[in-house]
């Protein structure tokens, strides 16, 4: 974008075209219907700015047959609202990257999806989130079973203080996924292989996991997640503690996993978002500003805040 | 741009300090650099202008500081050595008179001036074991509830209550044990224990006899109540050091709270848990006042836990005023020396356990 200082003018026609396509979809503004009744011709996106932050999300929030469907999701930590009415669908077999400056709510959003915010005292989530059509905040649903369907990989590699084998076997053991030791061995093998770690650790499965390098530990954490056979994998800045080579390996792995899983990845690195994701959501000050195909967001951002962020003007 | 901003004030402050100490130290930079305050090298070369006198003063202060802290640290060794020596010295007449029999005989008879430590040692160890057996699960429960389950509005009151429990003087526990707990035990609980547990084969003999109310079991219960706050507080602190990330990753795999506690929190914090347990055990072994009230003070070892007994510290507290003969006094001091050895061993064993646990955790679990 930097080569077009007058970006808004250059983008004018393209923007109109996108609007035309998006406007035909009646579901697009489920979340904000009451907030901004103005029929948006979207000639001037900046019109909807409220103190710099728009009330509505720019771009296509819904998808066909979503794995996750979030409607009006807000999160409060005590009196502080960390997430404002986010409406977003998450597609299957696709990487959704959540980008935005620190404290913009992208991690908070991610942690809503497997109810990890429940572990924080004083956290409150409103709105609805469905996983395969079922409300995940339904009181009658078992939270542990829910989380088993949703894998999570964290910012820092955090293997348990156990052997490599036991780390991968942890989930299958607590959920009693396998009946015999041979089955468990098999599952550990497949998980480690899918995480691209098998060849590096096959000779030292009983060695402590903390002895692995950072990149290996992170892939072990991914293997540990895969062993529970989740439907979705949430990744909270999975590469931020890794060196460039380890990062490249994890990114390759994410690319492979995309064939079977829906992946939501929070990242600080826009290059990473551009490299591995197919869809990108830009969060700012607790709001979902813009969501679109990754190519689109990075080459032709619709919202000025998105453009400012991806061109490095703030954040 | 940021660099230039930070250099200007630095250059200015050096100029001021030079005016304060003229000629103390000639700046070695050339003229050009002296006028160019924005050159970082020039600025840095002037930092060296500290007066030698100041350096000498600083070194003296450093040395005094070093010396005083060293003296304070050495004082610990001196105190420990002093206590050990005086204990051995005081206990020597008893040990040399009774030889090993002091450690093997149950008799404790001031009239014939014959003393053996077995009764008191037995009481000390058994009351502590009872106390630990009762206190550990309760403390663990309190700590788990406080760190993992309690809503935040309940955490504080319970935390404060635990600290208050720990602050109650032991004599009040003894008082309460004698006037409140003992009658309740005697009238309601001990008869029930005798009729149920006492009928069990194998361990039944531990729970037979008359319900006195006071005795080894009562002392163990009072000890348990006294050490719960200590163990619970240490365990809570240890549990709180478990990184959230570790817990969250287990939750993320679909672990229940119980599984997270049992498979993540406990393994991670076992070192601290052993430490807390040993702290409680140390306190239980040495506790004097409360035990003296409720144990019954009999040097006889009863087969039943319901029978009266005594502990080392209770014996000393009860009898030091009556120890008129030299051998009597020396025997009491010898008991003290034994207590010292027991507590020391407990701590040493705890240290060894911790070492081994750590090594195992490092090599592989």
């Amino acid at each position: 974008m930097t080569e077009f200082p007058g970006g808004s003018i250059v983008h004018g026609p393209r923007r109109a075209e996108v609007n035309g396509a998006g406007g035909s979809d009646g579901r697009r503004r489920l979340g904000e219907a009451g907030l901004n009744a103005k029929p948006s011709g979207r000639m001037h996106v900046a019109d909807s700015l409220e103190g710099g932050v728009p009330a509505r999300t720019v771009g296509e929030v819904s998808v066909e047959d979503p794995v996750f469907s979030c409607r009006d999701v807000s999160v409060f930590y005590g009196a502080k609202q960390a997430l404002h009415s986010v409406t977003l669908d998450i597609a299957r077999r696709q990487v959704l990257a959540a980008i935005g400056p620190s404290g913009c709510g992208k991690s908070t959003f991610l942690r809503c999806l497997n109810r990890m915010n429940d572990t924080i005292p004083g956290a409150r989530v409103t709105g609805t989130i469905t996983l395969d059509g079922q409300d995940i905040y339904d009181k009658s649903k078992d939270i542990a079973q829910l989380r088993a369907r949703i894998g999570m990989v964290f910012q820092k590699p955090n293997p348990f203080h156990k052997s490599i084998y036991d780390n991968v076997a942890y989930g299958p053991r607590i959920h009693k996924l396998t009946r015999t030791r041979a089955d468990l061995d098999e599952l550990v093998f497949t998980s480690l292989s899918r995480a691209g770690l098998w060849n590096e650790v096959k000779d030292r499965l009983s060695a402590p996991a903390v002895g692995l390098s950072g990149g290996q530990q992170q892939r072990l954490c991914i293997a540990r997640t895969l062993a529970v056979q989740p439907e979705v994998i949430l990744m909270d800045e999975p590469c931020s503690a890794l060196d460039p080579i380890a990062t490249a390996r994890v990114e390759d792995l994410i690319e492979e996993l995309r064939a079977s899983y829906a992946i939501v990845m929070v990242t600080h690195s826009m290059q990473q978002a551009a490299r591995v994701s197919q869809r990108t959501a830009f969060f700012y000050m607790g709001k979902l500003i813009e969501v679109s195909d990754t190519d689109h967001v990075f080459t032709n951002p619709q919202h000025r805040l998105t453009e400012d962020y991806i061109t490095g003007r703030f954040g | 741009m940021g660099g230039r901003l930070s250099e200007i004030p630095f250059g200015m402050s050096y100029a001021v300090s030079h005016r304060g100490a003229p000629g103390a130290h000639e700046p070695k930079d050339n003229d050009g650099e002296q006028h160019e305050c924005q050159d970082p090298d020039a600025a840095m070369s002037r930092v060296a202008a500290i007066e030698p006198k100041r350096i000498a003063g600083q070194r003296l202060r450093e040395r005094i500081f070093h010396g005083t802290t060293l003296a304070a640290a050495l004082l610990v060794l001196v105190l420990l050595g002093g206590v050990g020596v005086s204990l051995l010295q005081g206990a020597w007449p008893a040990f040399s008179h009774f030889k090993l029999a002091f450690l093997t005989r149950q008799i404790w008879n001031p009239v014939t001036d014959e003393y053996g430590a077995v009764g008191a040692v037995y009481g000390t160890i058994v009351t502590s074991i009872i106390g630990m057996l009762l206190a550990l699960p309760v403390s663990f429960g309190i700590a788990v509830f406080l760190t993992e389950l309690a809503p935040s509005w309940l955490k504080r009151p319970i935390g404060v209550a635990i600290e208050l429990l720990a602050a109650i003087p032991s004599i009040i526990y003894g008082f309460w044990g004698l006037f409140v707990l003992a009658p309740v035990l005697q009238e309601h609980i001990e008869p029930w224990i005798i009729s149920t547990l006492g009928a069990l084969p194998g361990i039944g003999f531990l729970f037979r006899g008359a319900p006195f109310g006071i005795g080894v079991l009562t002392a163990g219960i009072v000890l348990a109540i006294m050490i719960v706050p200590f163990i619970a507080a240490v365990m809570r602190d240890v549990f709180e050091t478990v990184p959230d990330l570790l817990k969250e990753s287990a939750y993320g795999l679909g672990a229940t709270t119980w599984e997270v506690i049992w498979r993540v929190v406990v393994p991670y914090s076992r070192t601290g848990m052993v430490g807390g347990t040993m702290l409680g055990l140390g306190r239980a072994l040495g506790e004097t006042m409360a035990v003296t009230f409720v144990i019954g003070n009999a040097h006889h070892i009863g087969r039943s836990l319901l029978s009266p007994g005594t502990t080392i510290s209770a014996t000393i507290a009860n009898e030091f005023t009556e120890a008129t003969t030299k051998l009597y006094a020396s025997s009491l001091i010898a008991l003290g020396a034994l207590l010292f050895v027991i507590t020391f061993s407990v701590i040493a064993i705890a240290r060894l356990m911790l070492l081994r646990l750590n090594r195992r955790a490092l090599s592989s679990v």
Side-chain angles (χ1 to χ4, degrees):
Chain A
M1 286 302 89
T2 38
E3 66 267 38
F4 299 121
S8 58
I9 297 163
V10 174
H11 291 155
R14 273 194 258 163
R15 187 178 289 164
E17 173 192 314
V18 172
N19 294 340
S24 62
D25 189 334
R27 292 194 299 164
R28 64 177 305 136
R29 250 162 256 125
L30 274 164
E32 308 84 3
L35 281 173
N36 195 340
K38 195 166 77 172
S40 173
R42 314 252 271 112
M43 264 132 51
H44 306 286
V45 174
D47 281 358
S48 58
L49 281 175
E50 279 177 3
V53 181
R56 67 181 58 182
T57 300
V58 177
E60 182 54 65
V61 295
S62 50
V63 299
E64 289 270 318
D65 186 27
V67 55
F68 270 118
S69 185
C70 311
R71 292 292 174 268
D72 271 326
V73 176
S74 297
V75 178
F76 303 82
Y77 293 130
K80 187 176 161 274
Q81 188 168 3
L83 204 61
H84 296 259
S85 201
V86 168
T87 293
L88 181 65
D89 284 350
I90 290 158
R92 291 168 202 279
R93 287 178 282 284
Q94 199 182 57
V95 181
L96 172 75
I99 60 169
S102 296
C104 67
K106 55 193 191 302
S107 284
T108 300
F109 173 70
L110 191 76
R111 294 168 63 92
C112 288
L113 298 177
N114 64 346
R115 296 188 59 177
M116 198 55 91
N117 283 325
D118 291 16
T119 64
I120 299 173
R124 195 159 53 84
V125 180
T126 62
T128 57
I129 301 176
T130 58
L131 171 62
D132 293 326
Q134 293 171 310
D135 185 359
I136 65 168
Y137 281 85
D138 183 345
K139 288 274 188 295
S140 63
K141 285 272 159 19
D142 181 40
I143 189 163
Q145 289 309 311
L146 169 80
R147 290 193 184 127
R149 295 167 65 191
I150 306 162
M152 189 162 195
V153 177
F154 295 81
Q155 194 167 351
K156 264 195 263 167
N158 56 345
F160 301 123
H161 288 243
K162 295 171 188 287
S163 70
I164 294 169
Y165 184 96
D166 286 341
N167 261 278
V168 183
Y170 183 92
R173 277 182 179 144
I174 60 173
H175 296 297
K176 306 208 167 37
L177 296 181
T178 53
R179 238 173 286 144
T180 64
R181 177 77 188 197
D183 286 351
L184 186 60
D185 287 349
E186 173 77 25
L187 185 54
V188 169
F189 164 73
T190 7
S191 307
L192 283 170
S193 306
R194 297 199 78 171
L197 196 61
W198 175 255
N199 286 328
E200 289 159 66
V201 301
K202 63 182 172 194
D203 299 324
R204 45 172 175 155
L205 288 176
S206 58
V210 284
L212 296 173
S213 74
Q216 288 173 325
Q217 286 187 17
Q218 193 64 304
R219 280 180 286 144
L220 178 67
C221 292
I222 294 175
R224 183 173 72 182
T225 301
L226 297 180
V228 191
Q229 316 201 305
E231 296 158 44
V232 193
I233 303 176
L234 310 178
M235 299 187 168
D236 194 352
E237 297 180 42
C239 299
S240 64
L242 304 183
D243 65 59
I245 294 169
T247 299
R249 296 212 56 170
V250 171
E251 285 181 5
D252 289 348
L253 172 59
I254 294 171
E255 179 65 28
E256 286 165 29
L257 294 176
R258 175 166 72 87
S260 346
Y261 303 94
I263 296 174
V264 186
M265 182 177 70
V266 163
T267 178
H268 262 127
S269 157
M270 282 172 281
Q271 290 84 349
Q272 185 173 56
R275 278 194 301 267
V276 301
S277 75
Q278 287 73 51
R279 202 155 159 250
T280 296
F282 171 64
F283 288 79
Y284 183 65
M285 288 178 72
K287 294 185 177 170
L288 175 57
I289 305 296
E290 179 164 352
V291 60
S292 193
D293 291 346
T294 298
D295 293 345
H296 220 101
V297 169
F298 283 99
T299 57
N300 187 12
Q302 299 300 298
H303 196 283
R304 206 177 58 200
L305 281 169
T306 318
E307 185 178 330
D308 285 353
Y309 183 70
I310 65 172
T311 54
R313 249 169 262 169
F314 72 92
Chain B
M1 183 188 90
R4 205 190 307 156
L5 274 176
S6 64
E7 278 151 25
I8 292 168
F10 267 99
M12 282 156 69
S13 69
Y14 298 143
V16 172
S17 72
H18 271 286
R19 222 182 298 148
H25 200 287
E26 277 302 318
K28 293 185 189 75
D29 29 343
N30 61 43
D31 286 8
E33 276 174 329
Q34 259 178 326
H35 297 300
E36 186 59 64
C37 282
Q38 292 175 12
D39 180 12
D41 288 339
M44 286 315 287
S45 70
R46 292 179 201 189
V47 179
I50 302 173
E51 297 162 63
K53 228 192 273 176
R54 228 179 112 71
I55 296 173
Q58 272 179 339
R59 287 183 63 180
L60 182 68
R61 248 180 300 157
E62 276 299 294
R63 214 172 290 163
I64 293 171
F65 177 67
H66 184 90
T68 25
T69 51
L70 178 70
L74 286 179
L75 189 63
V76 173
L77 291 180
V78 172
L79 283 175
L80 187 68
V83 169
V85 165
S86 56
L87 271 179
L88 283 179
Q89 205 180 17
W92 185 246
F95 280 131
S96 63
H97 186 266
F98 296 112
K99 307 269 175 358
L100 266 181
F102 185 75
L103 301 177
T104 56
R105 287 204 304 176
Q106 222 189 97
I107 188 167
W108 189 271
N109 192 338
V111 180
T112 57
D113 228 10
E114 280 185 279
Y115 308 99
V118 173
V121 171
Y122 167 85
T124 302
I125 292 173
V126 169
T127 50
S128 298
I129 290 175
I130 296 173
M132 295 305 292
L133 285 179
L134 295 175
L136 266 182
V138 177
S139 311
F140 181 77
I142 293 174
V144 165
F145 181 75
L146 279 183
T147 50
E148 307 296 328
L149 303 168
S152 46
W153 59 268
L154 200 56
K155 272 184 190 176
R156 249 188 101 77
I158 294 185
V160 170
I162 287 174
E163 274 153 36
L164 285 178
L165 263 185
I168 295 176
S170 65
I171 193 145
I172 293 178
Y173 279 108
F175 209 61
W176 173 83
L178 182 62
F179 290 112
V180 180
L181 182 66
V184 171
L185 283 175
Q186 185 176 21
E187 284 162 34
H188 305 291
I189 297 172
E190 286 186 354
W192 176 80
I193 288 177
I194 292 165
S195 63
T196 53
L197 293 177
L200 290 175
I203 59 161
F205 70 91
L206 289 172
F207 306 100
R208 286 181 196 145
F212 290 109
I214 54 175
V216 173
L217 181 68
T218 314
I221 292 171
V222 171
L223 278 180
I225 297 169
M226 293 181 68
I227 60 181
V228 155
F230 286 89
I231 305 180
V234 173
M235 280 193 183
R236 178 194 57 185
D237 293 349
V238 173
F239 288 170
E240 271 170 3
T241 64
V242 179
D244 285 342
L245 195 65
L246 219 51
K247 286 192 266 183
E248 282 178 357
S249 54
Y251 278 124
L253 290 172
T256 59
T257 309
W258 170 249
E259 284 161 344
V260 169
I261 290 163
W262 202 241
R263 290 169 180 254
V264 176
V265 174
V266 170
Y268 185 89
S269 46
R270 63 192 147 192
T271 314
M273 284 168 66
V274 172
T277 307
M278 289 302 155
L279 181 76
L281 184 55
R283 197 174 148 82
L285 285 170
E287 175 49 41
T288 311
M289 238 28 250
V291 173
T292 310
F293 268 75
V294 296
I295 199 164
N297 303 308
H299 280 276
H300 166 76
I301 298 178
R303 269 164 65 85
S304 170
L305 295 180
L306 306 180
S307 60
T310 190
T311 68
I312 292 175
S313 45
T315 305
I316 298 174
N318 266 326
E319 303 182 20
F320 75 100
T321 47
E322 307 159 8
T324 43
T325 69
K326 195 182 167 203
L327 202 55
Y328 197 177
S330 176
S331 296
L332 287 178
I333 298 174
L335 278 184
L338 283 181
L339 183 58
F340 189 70
V341 170
I342 293 171
T343 359
F344 184 83
S345 317
V346 165
I347 292 171
I349 292 169
R351 291 265 160 181
L352 282 176
M353 278 173 65
L354 293 180
L355 267 182
R356 197 176 303 166
L357 276 176
N358 284 344
R359 209 174 299 148
R360 213 161 44 135
L362 283 180
S363 62
S364 156
V365 182

